[in-house]
Amino acid sequence: MSEFFSMGGYAFFVWPSYLLALVLLVGLLLTSIRAARTRAALLDRLKAERRAFES
Amino acid sequence: MHRFANPARFLRIASALFPWVSVLCALSLAAGLWFALAASPADYQQGDSVRIMYVHVPAAWMGMFCYSAMALFSAVALIWKHPLADLLARATAPIGAAFTFLCLVSGSLWGRPMWGTWWAWDARLTSMLILLFLYLGYMALADAFDDPERGRKSAAILALVGFVNVPVIKWSVDWWNTLHQPASVIKRGGPAIDSSMLLPLLLMAIGFQLYYVVVLILRVRAEIAEAKIRTLRLAAIHAAGGDDSP
């Protein structure tokens, strides 16, 4: 197992590459999900306000 | 193609595809990581540092693919004035920028042990850095105007002009003497790479490509909602008898 983590002596170069990939991809995914959700919620609220205004 | 350019139809098709693409993306990335980190051999010269390739090369492909897609969407938006094409281009930019950044950093981490340097101002590395700046410039420009229409148009023109950089990246290793190695997968006469290494490379590339589709759908969804919010707010101002002229 420790052999796996040492990556034949290249651990310092291999693991940060994969870690950065993880951080970037998960981070972008989460901010995109959040942006889609907050905008959908805001849009629903505006639509409800408009219906209340018109009736 | 025209039939798919309607935002409502796009949302319907995208929502139907979304769960399938997400699951396929997770599966290919999981399989890709298994082969990349565990079930593939170390290189006879580079040892285990070769495993950086399975992040670095697909990220580079995605950096160039996303820019090409962004330029294509921008051209459609400029020529046919399709609102959806513009949203697709804007949603693509941050994804492409993330992959380009990943490519540059992982390349640096690979370059240090293999070339003995973190960075060199050679053609391949420099043109890839320019690609990152083009993405950043595009995103800054798209939001730089009070009038969203003007910002969109300027950004679309930048995307088109900057496309000249993509073939320069692809053939930089053939046109100039560079530290970077020439193409070994997408080249004449087929890939010059063993299938035990080609498999993780392709799985990661497919995973990244599907990740692009997943995040693209999410971001376009947000952009469409944003456009509707703007329309509703303008209508509210009009209904209240307000004056929205500048």
Coordinates of all heavy atoms in Angstrom, one line a residue, chain B residues 31-122:
Chain B
A31 N -13.4 4.1 -13.7 CA -12.6 3.1 -14.4 C -11.3 3.7 -14.9 O -10.2 3.1 -14.7 CB -13.4 2.6 -15.6
G32 N -11.4 4.9 -15.4 CA -10.1 5.6 -15.8 C -9.1 5.8 -14.7 O -7.9 5.5 -14.9
L33 N -9.6 6.2 -13.5 CA -8.7 6.3 -12.4 C -8.1 5.0 -11.9 O -6.9 4.9 -11.6 CB -9.4 7.0 -11.2 CG -9.7 8.5 -11.3 CD1 -10.5 9.0 -10.2 CD2 -8.3 9.2 -11.3
W34 N -8.9 4.0 -11.9 CA -8.4 2.6 -11.5 C -7.3 2.2 -12.4 O -6.2 1.8 -12.0 CB -9.6 1.6 -11.6 CG -9.1 0.2 -11.6 CD1 -9.2 -0.7 -12.6 CD2 -8.5 -0.5 -10.5 NE1 -8.6 -1.9 -12.2 CE2 -8.2 -1.8 -10.9 CE3 -8.1 -0.1 -9.2 CZ2 -7.6 -2.8 -10.1 CZ3 -7.5 -1.1 -8.3 CH2 -7.3 -2.4 -8.8
F35 N -7.5 2.3 -13.8 CA -6.4 1.9 -14.7 C -5.2 2.9 -14.6 O -4.1 2.5 -14.7 CB -6.9 1.9 -16.1 CG -7.7 0.6 -16.4 CD1 -9.1 0.6 -16.4 CD2 -7.0 -0.6 -16.5 CE1 -9.8 -0.6 -16.6 CE2 -7.7 -1.8 -16.8 CZ -9.1 -1.8 -16.8
A36 N -5.5 4.2 -14.5 CA -4.5 5.2 -14.5 C -3.5 5.1 -13.3 O -2.3 5.2 -13.4 CB -5.0 6.6 -14.5
L37 N -4.1 4.8 -12.1 CA -3.3 4.8 -10.9 C -2.8 3.4 -10.5 O -1.8 3.3 -9.8 CB -4.1 5.5 -9.8 CG -4.3 7.0 -9.9 CD1 -5.3 7.5 -8.9 CD2 -2.9 7.7 -9.8
A38 N -3.6 2.4 -10.8 CA -3.3 1.1 -10.3 C -3.0 0.0 -11.3 O -2.0 -0.7 -11.3 CB -4.4 0.6 -9.4
A39 N -3.9 -0.1 -12.3 CA -3.9 -1.3 -13.2 C -3.1 -1.0 -14.5 O -3.4 -1.7 -15.5 CB -5.3 -1.7 -13.5
S40 N -2.3 0.0 -14.6 CA -1.5 0.2 -15.8 C 0.0 0.2 -15.3 O 0.4 0.5 -14.2 CB -1.8 1.5 -16.5 OG -1.5 2.6 -15.7
P41 N 0.9 -0.2 -16.3 CA 2.3 -0.3 -15.9 C 3.0 1.0 -15.8 O 2.6 2.0 -16.4 CB 2.9 -1.1 -17.1 CG 2.0 -0.8 -18.2 CD 0.7 -0.6 -17.7
A42 N 4.1 1.0 -15.0 CA 5.0 2.2 -15.0 C 5.8 2.2 -16.3 O 6.0 1.2 -16.9 CB 5.9 2.2 -13.8
D43 N 6.2 3.4 -16.7 CA 6.9 3.5 -18.0 C 8.4 3.0 -17.8 O 8.9 3.2 -16.7 CB 6.9 5.0 -18.4 CG 7.5 5.2 -19.8 OD1 6.9 4.7 -20.8 OD2 8.7 5.7 -19.9
Y44 N 9.0 2.4 -18.8 CA 10.3 1.9 -18.6 C 11.4 3.0 -18.4 O 12.4 2.7 -17.9 CB 10.7 0.9 -19.7 CG 11.1 1.6 -21.0 CD1 12.5 1.6 -21.4 CD2 10.2 2.2 -21.9 CE1 12.9 2.2 -22.5 CE2 10.6 2.8 -23.1 CZ 12.0 2.8 -23.4 OH 12.4 3.4 -24.5
Q45 N 11.0 4.2 -18.9 CA 12.0 5.3 -18.7 C 11.5 6.3 -17.6 O 12.3 6.7 -16.8 CB 12.1 6.1 -20.0 CG 13.1 5.5 -21.0 CD 13.2 6.4 -22.2 OE1 12.3 7.0 -22.7 NE2 14.4 6.4 -22.8
Q46 N 10.2 6.6 -17.7 CA 9.7 7.6 -16.8 C 9.2 7.1 -15.4 O 8.8 7.9 -14.6 CB 8.5 8.4 -17.5 CG 8.9 8.9 -18.8 CD 7.9 9.9 -19.3 OE1 7.1 10.4 -18.6 NE2 7.9 10.2 -20.6
G47 N 9.1 5.8 -15.3 CA 8.6 5.2 -14.0 C 7.2 5.6 -13.8 O 6.4 5.7 -14.8
D48 N 6.8 5.8 -12.5 CA 5.4 6.1 -12.2 C 5.0 7.6 -12.6 O 3.8 7.9 -12.5 CB 5.1 5.9 -10.7 CG 5.0 4.4 -10.5 OD1 4.1 3.8 -11.1 OD2 5.7 3.9 -9.6
S49 N 6.0 8.4 -12.9 CA 5.6 9.8 -13.3 C 4.8 9.8 -14.5 O 4.1 10.8 -14.8 CB 6.9 10.7 -13.5 OG 7.4 10.5 -14.7
V50 N 4.8 8.8 -15.3 CA 4.0 8.7 -16.5 C 2.5 8.8 -16.2 O 1.7 9.1 -17.1 CB 4.3 7.4 -17.3 CG1 3.7 6.2 -16.7 CG2 3.9 7.5 -18.8
R51 N 2.1 8.5 -15.0 CA 0.7 8.5 -14.6 C 0.1 9.9 -14.7 O -1.1 10.1 -14.7 CB 0.5 7.9 -13.2 CG 1.0 6.5 -13.1 CD 0.6 5.8 -11.9 NE 1.3 4.6 -11.7 CZ 1.1 3.4 -12.3 NH1 0.1 3.4 -13.1 NH2 1.8 2.4 -12.1
I52 N 1.0 10.9 -14.6 CA 0.5 12.3 -14.8 C -0.1 12.5 -16.2 O -1.0 13.3 -16.3 CB 1.7 13.3 -14.6 CG1 2.2 13.2 -13.1 CG2 1.2 14.7 -14.8 CD1 3.5 14.0 -12.9
M53 N 0.4 11.7 -17.1 CA -0.2 11.8 -18.5 C -1.7 11.6 -18.6 O -2.3 12.3 -19.4 CB 0.5 10.7 -19.4 CG -0.1 10.6 -20.8 SD 0.8 9.5 -21.8 CE 0.3 7.9 -21.1
Y54 N -2.2 10.8 -17.7 CA -3.7 10.4 -17.8 C -4.5 11.6 -17.3 O -5.7 11.6 -17.5 CB -4.0 9.2 -17.0 CG -3.1 8.0 -17.4 CD1 -2.3 7.3 -16.4 CD2 -3.0 7.6 -18.7 CE1 -1.5 6.3 -16.8 CE2 -2.1 6.6 -19.1 CZ -1.4 5.9 -18.1 OH -0.6 4.9 -18.5
V55 N -3.9 12.6 -16.6 CA -4.6 13.8 -16.3 C -4.3 14.9 -17.4 O -5.1 15.6 -17.9 CB -4.3 14.3 -14.9 CG1 -4.8 15.7 -14.7 CG2 -4.9 13.4 -13.9
H56 N -3.0 15.0 -17.6 CA -2.4 16.1 -18.4 C -2.9 16.1 -19.9 O -3.4 17.1 -20.4 CB -0.9 16.0 -18.4 CG -0.2 16.9 -19.3 ND1 -0.1 18.3 -19.0 CD2 0.4 16.8 -20.5 CE1 0.6 18.9 -20.0 NE2 0.9 18.0 -20.9
V57 N -2.8 14.9 -20.5 CA -3.2 14.9 -22.0 C -4.7 15.0 -22.2 O -5.1 15.9 -23.0 CB -2.6 13.6 -22.6 CG1 -3.1 13.4 -24.0 CG2 -1.1 13.6 -22.6
P58 N -5.6 14.3 -21.5 CA -7.0 14.6 -21.7 C -7.4 16.1 -21.3 O -8.2 16.7 -22.0 CB -7.7 13.6 -20.7 CG -6.8 12.5 -20.5 CD -5.4 13.2 -20.6
A59 N -6.7 16.7 -20.3 CA -7.0 18.1 -20.0 C -6.6 19.0 -21.1 O -7.3 19.9 -21.5 CB -6.3 18.5 -18.7
A60 N -5.5 18.7 -21.8 CA -5.0 19.5 -22.9 C -6.0 19.3 -24.1 O -6.4 20.3 -24.7 CB -3.6 19.0 -23.4
W61 N -6.5 18.1 -24.3 CA -7.5 17.9 -25.4 C -8.7 18.7 -25.1 O -9.3 19.3 -26.0 CB -7.8 16.4 -25.5 CG -6.8 15.6 -26.1 CD1 -5.7 16.0 -26.9 CD2 -6.7 14.1 -26.1 NE1 -5.0 14.9 -27.3 CE2 -5.5 13.8 -26.8 CE3 -7.4 13.1 -25.5 CZ2 -5.1 12.4 -27.0 CZ3 -7.0 11.8 -25.6 CH2 -5.9 11.5 -26.4
M62 N -9.2 18.7 -23.8 CA -10.4 19.4 -23.5 C -10.2 20.9 -23.6 O -11.1 21.6 -24.0 CB -10.8 19.0 -22.1 CG -11.4 17.6 -21.9 SD -12.6 17.2 -23.1 CE -13.9 18.4 -22.6
G63 N -9.0 21.4 -23.2 CA -8.7 22.8 -23.4 C -8.9 23.3 -24.8 O -9.6 24.3 -25.1
M64 N -8.4 22.5 -25.7 CA -8.5 22.8 -27.2 C -10.0 22.6 -27.7 O -10.5 23.3 -28.5 CB -7.5 22.1 -28.0 CG -6.1 22.5 -27.7 SD -5.0 21.9 -28.9 CE -4.7 20.3 -28.4
F65 N -10.6 21.5 -27.2 CA -11.9 21.1 -27.7 C -12.9 22.2 -27.2 O -13.7 22.7 -28.0 CB -12.4 19.8 -27.1 CG -13.9 19.6 -27.3 CD1 -14.4 19.1 -28.5 CD2 -14.7 19.8 -26.2 CE1 -15.7 18.9 -28.6 CE2 -16.1 19.7 -26.4 CZ -16.6 19.2 -27.6
C66 N -12.8 22.6 -25.9 CA -13.7 23.6 -25.4 C -13.6 25.0 -26.2 O -14.5 25.6 -26.5 CB -13.5 23.8 -23.9 SG -14.1 22.5 -22.9
Y67 N -12.3 25.3 -26.5 CA -12.1 26.6 -27.2 C -12.7 26.5 -28.6 O -13.4 27.4 -29.0 CB -10.6 27.0 -27.3 CG -10.6 28.5 -27.6 CD1 -10.5 29.4 -26.6 CD2 -10.6 28.9 -28.9 CE1 -10.5 30.7 -26.9 CE2 -10.6 30.2 -29.2 CZ -10.6 31.2 -28.2 OH -10.6 32.5 -28.5
S68 N -12.5 25.3 -29.3 CA -13.1 25.2 -30.6 C -14.6 25.3 -30.5 O -15.3 25.9 -31.4 CB -12.7 23.8 -31.2 OG -11.3 23.7 -31.1
A69 N -15.2 24.6 -29.5 CA -16.7 24.7 -29.4 C -17.1 26.1 -29.1 O -18.1 26.6 -29.7 CB -17.1 23.7 -28.2
M70 N -16.4 26.8 -28.3 CA -16.7 28.2 -27.9 C -16.7 29.1 -29.2 O -17.6 29.9 -29.4 CB -15.7 28.7 -26.9 CG -16.2 29.9 -26.1 SD -15.0 30.2 -24.8 CE -13.8 31.2 -25.6
A71 N -15.7 28.9 -30.0 CA -15.6 29.7 -31.2 C -16.7 29.3 -32.2 O -17.3 30.2 -32.8 CB -14.2 29.4 -31.9
L72 N -17.0 28.0 -32.3 CA -18.1 27.6 -33.2 C -19.5 28.2 -32.7 O -20.2 28.8 -33.5 CB -18.2 26.1 -33.2 CG -19.3 25.5 -34.1 CD1 -18.9 25.7 -35.6 CD2 -19.5 24.0 -33.8
F73 N -19.7 28.1 -31.4 CA -21.0 28.7 -30.8 C -21.0 30.2 -31.1 O -22.1 30.8 -31.4 CB -21.1 28.4 -29.3 CG -21.4 26.9 -29.0 CD1 -20.7 26.3 -27.9 CD2 -22.2 26.2 -29.8 CE1 -21.0 25.0 -27.6 CE2 -22.5 24.8 -29.5 CZ -21.8 24.2 -28.4
S74 N -19.9 30.8 -30.9 CA -19.8 32.3 -31.1 C -20.1 32.7 -32.5 O -20.8 33.6 -32.8 CB -18.4 32.8 -30.7 OG -18.2 32.6 -29.3
A75 N -19.6 31.9 -33.5 CA -19.8 32.1 -34.9 C -21.3 32.0 -35.2 O -21.9 32.9 -35.8 CB -19.0 31.2 -35.8
V76 N -21.9 31.0 -34.7 CA -23.4 30.8 -34.9 C -24.2 32.0 -34.2 O -25.1 32.5 -34.8 CB -23.8 29.4 -34.3 CG1 -25.4 29.3 -34.3 CG2 -23.2 28.3 -35.0
A77 N -23.7 32.4 -33.0 CA -24.4 33.5 -32.4 C -24.3 34.8 -33.1 O -25.2 35.6 -33.2 CB -23.8 33.7 -30.9
L78 N -23.1 35.0 -33.7 CA -22.9 36.2 -34.5 C -23.6 36.2 -35.8 O -24.2 37.2 -36.2 CB -21.4 36.5 -34.8 CG -20.5 37.0 -33.6 CD1 -19.1 37.0 -34.0 CD2 -21.0 38.4 -33.2
I79 N -23.6 35.1 -36.5 CA -24.2 35.0 -37.9 C -25.7 34.9 -37.8 O -26.4 35.7 -38.5 CB -23.5 33.9 -38.7 CG1 -22.0 34.1 -38.8 CG2 -24.2 33.8 -40.0 CD1 -21.3 32.9 -39.3
W80 N -26.2 33.9 -37.0 CA -27.6 33.7 -37.0 C -28.3 34.3 -35.8 O -29.5 34.2 -35.7 CB -27.9 32.2 -37.1 CG -27.6 31.6 -38.5 CD1 -28.3 31.8 -39.6 CD2 -26.5 30.8 -38.8 NE1 -27.7 31.2 -40.7 CE2 -26.6 30.5 -40.2 CE3 -25.4 30.2 -38.1 CZ2 -25.6 29.7 -40.8 CZ3 -24.5 29.4 -38.7 CH2 -24.6 29.2 -40.1
K81 N -27.6 34.9 -35.0 CA -28.1 35.6 -33.8 C -29.0 34.6 -32.9 O -30.1 35.0 -32.4 CB -29.0 36.8 -34.2 CG -28.3 37.8 -35.1 CD -28.5 39.2 -34.5 CE -27.8 40.2 -35.4 NZ -26.4 40.0 -35.6
H82 N -28.5 33.4 -32.8 CA -29.2 32.5 -31.9 C -28.9 32.7 -30.5 O -27.7 32.6 -30.1 CB -28.8 31.0 -32.3 CG -29.7 30.4 -33.2 ND1 -31.1 30.4 -33.0 CD2 -29.5 29.7 -34.3 CE1 -31.6 29.7 -34.0 NE2 -30.7 29.3 -34.8
P83 N -29.9 33.0 -29.7 CA -29.6 33.3 -28.3 C -29.0 32.1 -27.6 O -28.1 32.2 -26.7 CB -30.9 33.7 -27.7 CG -32.0 33.2 -28.6 CD -31.3 33.2 -30.0
L84 N -29.4 30.9 -28.0 CA -28.9 29.7 -27.3 C -27.4 29.5 -27.6 O -26.7 29.0 -26.7 CB -29.7 28.5 -27.7 CG -29.5 27.2 -26.9 CD1 -29.8 27.4 -25.5 CD2 -30.2 26.0 -27.5
A85 N -27.0 29.7 -28.8 CA -25.6 29.6 -29.2 C -24.7 30.4 -28.3 O -23.7 30.0 -27.8 CB -25.4 29.9 -30.6
D86 N -25.2 31.6 -28.0 CA -24.4 32.5 -27.2 C -24.3 32.0 -25.7 O -23.3 32.0 -25.1 CB -25.1 33.9 -27.2 CG -24.3 34.9 -26.4 OD1 -23.3 35.3 -26.9 OD2 -24.8 35.3 -25.3
L87 N -25.5 31.5 -25.2 CA -25.4 30.9 -23.9 C -24.5 29.7 -23.8 O -23.8 29.5 -22.8 CB -26.8 30.4 -23.5 CG -27.9 31.5 -23.4 CD1 -29.2 31.0 -22.9 CD2 -27.5 32.6 -22.4
L88 N -24.5 28.9 -24.9 CA -23.6 27.7 -24.9 C -22.1 28.1 -24.9 O -21.3 27.6 -24.2 CB -23.9 26.9 -26.1 CG -25.2 26.0 -26.1 CD1 -25.5 25.6 -27.5 CD2 -25.0 24.8 -25.2
A89 N -21.8 29.2 -25.7 CA -20.4 29.7 -25.7 C -20.0 30.2 -24.3 O -18.9 29.8 -23.8 CB -20.3 30.8 -26.7
R90 N -20.9 31.0 -23.7 CA -20.5 31.5 -22.4 C -20.4 30.4 -21.3 O -19.6 30.5 -20.4 CB -21.6 32.5 -21.9 CG -21.4 33.9 -22.6 CD -22.7 34.6 -22.6 NE -23.2 34.9 -21.3 CZ -23.0 36.0 -20.7 NH1 -22.4 37.0 -21.2 NH2 -23.6 36.2 -19.5
A91 N -21.3 29.4 -21.4 CA -21.2 28.3 -20.4 C -19.9 27.4 -20.6 O -19.5 26.8 -19.7 CB -22.4 27.4 -20.5
T92 N -19.4 27.4 -21.9 CA -18.2 26.6 -22.2 C -17.0 27.2 -21.6 O -16.1 26.5 -21.2 CB -18.1 26.4 -23.7 OG1 -19.3 25.7 -24.2 CG2 -16.9 25.6 -24.1
A93 N -16.9 28.5 -21.6 CA -15.6 29.2 -21.2 C -15.0 28.8 -19.9 O -13.8 28.4 -19.9 CB -15.8 30.7 -21.3
P94 N -15.7 28.8 -18.8 CA -15.1 28.4 -17.5 C -14.6 27.0 -17.5 O -13.6 26.7 -16.9 CB -16.1 28.7 -16.4 CG -17.4 28.9 -17.1 CD -17.1 29.3 -18.5
I95 N -15.4 26.1 -18.2 CA -15.0 24.7 -18.2 C -13.6 24.5 -19.0 O -12.7 23.9 -18.5 CB -16.1 23.8 -18.9 CG1 -17.5 24.2 -18.3 CG2 -15.8 22.3 -18.7 CD1 -18.6 23.5 -19.0
G96 N -13.6 25.2 -20.1 CA -12.3 25.2 -20.9 C -11.2 25.8 -20.1 O -10.0 25.2 -20.2
A97 N -11.4 26.8 -19.4 CA -10.4 27.5 -18.7 C -9.8 26.6 -17.6 O -8.6 26.5 -17.3 CB -10.9 28.8 -18.1
A98 N -10.8 25.9 -16.9 CA -10.4 24.9 -15.8 C -9.5 23.8 -16.4 O -8.4 23.5 -15.8 CB -11.6 24.3 -15.1
F99 N -9.9 23.2 -17.5 CA -9.1 22.2 -18.1 C -7.7 22.7 -18.6 O -6.7 22.0 -18.4 CB -9.8 21.5 -19.3 CG -10.8 20.5 -18.9 CD1 -12.2 20.6 -19.2 CD2 -10.5 19.4 -18.1 CE1 -13.1 19.7 -18.8 CE2 -11.4 18.4 -17.7 CZ -12.7 18.6 -18.1
T100 N -7.7 23.9 -19.1 CA -6.4 24.5 -19.6 C -5.5 24.7 -18.4 O -4.3 24.4 -18.5 CB -6.7 25.8 -20.4 OG1 -7.6 25.5 -21.4 CG2 -5.4 26.3 -21.0
F101 N -6.0 25.2 -17.3 CA -5.2 25.5 -16.1 C -4.7 24.1 -15.6 O -3.5 24.0 -15.3 CB -6.1 26.2 -15.1 CG -5.3 26.5 -13.8 CD1 -4.4 27.5 -13.8 CD2 -5.6 25.8 -12.6 CE1 -3.7 27.7 -12.6 CE2 -4.9 26.1 -11.5 CZ -4.0 27.1 -11.5
L102 N -5.5 23.1 -15.6 CA -5.1 21.8 -15.1 C -4.0 21.2 -16.0 O -3.0 20.6 -15.5 CB -6.3 20.8 -15.2 CG -6.1 19.4 -14.8 CD1 -5.5 19.3 -13.4 CD2 -7.4 18.6 -14.9
C103 N -4.1 21.4 -17.3 CA -3.1 21.0 -18.3 C -1.8 21.7 -18.0 O -0.7 21.0 -17.9 CB -3.6 21.3 -19.7 SG -2.3 21.1 -20.9
L104 N -1.8 23.0 -17.7 CA -0.5 23.7 -17.5 C 0.1 23.3 -16.2 O 1.3 23.0 -16.2 CB -0.8 25.2 -17.5 CG -1.1 25.9 -18.8 CD1 -1.7 27.3 -18.6 CD2 0.2 26.0 -19.6
V105 N -0.7 23.1 -15.1 CA -0.1 22.8 -13.8 C 0.4 21.4 -13.8 O 1.5 21.1 -13.4 CB -1.1 23.1 -12.7 CG1 -0.5 22.6 -11.4 CG2 -1.4 24.5 -12.6
S106 N -0.4 20.4 -14.4 CA 0.1 19.0 -14.4 C 1.3 18.9 -15.3 O 2.1 18.1 -15.0 CB -1.1 18.1 -14.8 OG -1.5 18.4 -16.1
G107 N 1.3 19.7 -16.4 CA 2.5 19.6 -17.3 C 3.7 20.1 -16.6 O 4.8 19.5 -16.7
S108 N 3.6 21.1 -15.7 CA 4.7 21.6 -15.0 C 5.2 20.6 -14.0 O 6.4 20.4 -13.8 CB 4.2 22.9 -14.2 OG 5.3 23.6 -13.7
L109 N 4.2 19.9 -13.3 CA 4.6 18.9 -12.3 C 5.2 17.7 -13.0 O 5.9 16.9 -12.4 CB 3.3 18.4 -11.6 CG 2.8 19.4 -10.5 CD1 1.4 19.1 -10.2 CD2 3.7 19.4 -9.3
W110 N 4.9 17.5 -14.3 CA 5.5 16.4 -15.0 C 6.9 16.8 -15.6 O 7.8 16.0 -15.7 CB 4.6 16.0 -16.2 CG 4.9 14.6 -16.8 CD1 5.7 13.7 -16.3 CD2 4.2 14.1 -17.9 NE1 5.7 12.6 -17.1 CE2 4.7 12.8 -18.1 CE3 3.3 14.6 -18.8 CZ2 4.3 12.0 -19.2 CZ3 2.9 13.8 -19.8 CH2 3.4 12.5 -20.0
G111 N 7.0 18.1 -15.9 CA 8.2 18.6 -16.5 C 9.4 18.7 -15.6 O 10.5 18.4 -15.9
R112 N 9.1 19.0 -14.3 CA 10.1 19.1 -13.3 C 10.9 17.8 -13.2 O 12.2 17.8 -13.4 CB 9.5 19.5 -12.0 CG 10.4 19.7 -10.8 CD 11.4 20.8 -11.0 NE 12.7 20.5 -10.5 CZ 13.8 21.2 -10.6 NH1 13.8 22.3 -11.4 NH2 14.9 20.8 -10.1
P113 N 10.3 16.6 -12.9 CA 11.2 15.4 -12.8 C 11.7 14.9 -14.2 O 12.8 14.3 -14.2 CB 10.2 14.4 -12.2 CG 8.9 14.8 -12.5 CD 8.9 16.3 -12.6
M114 N 11.0 15.2 -15.3 CA 11.4 14.6 -16.6 C 12.3 15.5 -17.4 O 13.2 15.0 -18.0 CB 10.1 14.2 -17.4 CG 9.4 13.0 -16.9 SD 10.4 11.6 -16.7 CE 10.5 11.4 -15.0
W115 N 12.0 16.8 -17.4 CA 12.9 17.7 -18.1 C 13.9 18.5 -17.3 O 14.8 19.1 -17.8 CB 12.0 18.8 -18.8 CG 11.0 18.2 -19.9 CD1 11.1 17.0 -20.5 CD2 9.9 18.9 -20.4 NE1 10.0 16.9 -21.3 CE2 9.3 18.1 -21.3 CE3 9.4 20.2 -20.2 CZ2 8.1 18.4 -22.0 CZ3 8.2 20.6 -20.8 CH2 7.6 19.7 -21.8
G116 N 13.6 18.5 -16.0 CA 14.5 19.2 -15.0 C 14.1 20.7 -14.9 O 14.8 21.5 -14.4
T117 N 12.9 21.0 -15.4 CA 12.4 22.4 -15.2 C 10.9 22.4 -15.1 O 10.2 21.6 -15.7 CB 12.9 23.3 -16.4 OG1 12.4 24.6 -16.2 CG2 12.3 22.8 -17.7
W118 N 10.4 23.4 -14.3 CA 8.9 23.6 -14.2 C 8.3 24.2 -15.4 O 7.2 23.9 -15.7 CB 8.6 24.5 -13.0 CG 9.1 24.1 -11.6 CD1 10.2 24.5 -11.0 CD2 8.5 23.1 -10.8 NE1 10.3 23.9 -9.8 CE2 9.3 23.0 -9.6 CE3 7.4 22.2 -10.9 CZ2 9.0 22.1 -8.6 CZ3 7.1 21.3 -9.9 CH2 7.9 21.3 -8.7
W119 N 9.1 25.0 -16.1 CA 8.5 25.8 -17.2 C 9.6 26.1 -18.2 O 10.8 26.3 -17.8 CB 7.9 27.1 -16.6 CG 7.3 27.9 -17.7 CD1 7.8 29.0 -18.3 CD2 6.0 27.7 -18.3 NE1 6.9 29.4 -19.3 CE2 5.8 28.7 -19.3 CE3 5.0 26.7 -18.0 CZ2 4.6 28.7 -20.0 CZ3 3.8 26.8 -18.8 CH2 3.7 27.8 -19.8
A120 N 9.2 26.2 -19.5 CA 10.1 26.7 -20.5 C 9.3 27.5 -21.5 O 8.1 27.2 -21.7 CB 10.8 25.5 -21.2
W121 N 9.9 28.6 -22.0 CA 9.1 29.5 -22.9 C 9.2 28.9 -24.3 O 9.8 29.5 -25.2 CB 9.6 30.9 -22.8 CG 9.3 31.5 -21.6 CD1 10.1 31.8 -20.5 CD2 7.9 32.0 -21.2 NE1 9.3 32.4 -19.5 CE2 8.1 32.5 -19.9 CE3 6.7 32.0 -21.8 CZ2 7.0 33.0 -19.2 CZ3 5.6 32.6 -21.1 CH2 5.8 33.1 -19.8
D122 N 8.8 27.7 -24.5 CA 8.8 27.1 -25.8 C 7.4 27.2 -26.4 O 6.5 27.6 -25.8 CB 9.5 25.7 -25.8 CG 8.5 24.6 -25.6 OD1 7.4 24.9 -25.1 OD2 8.9 23.4 -25.7

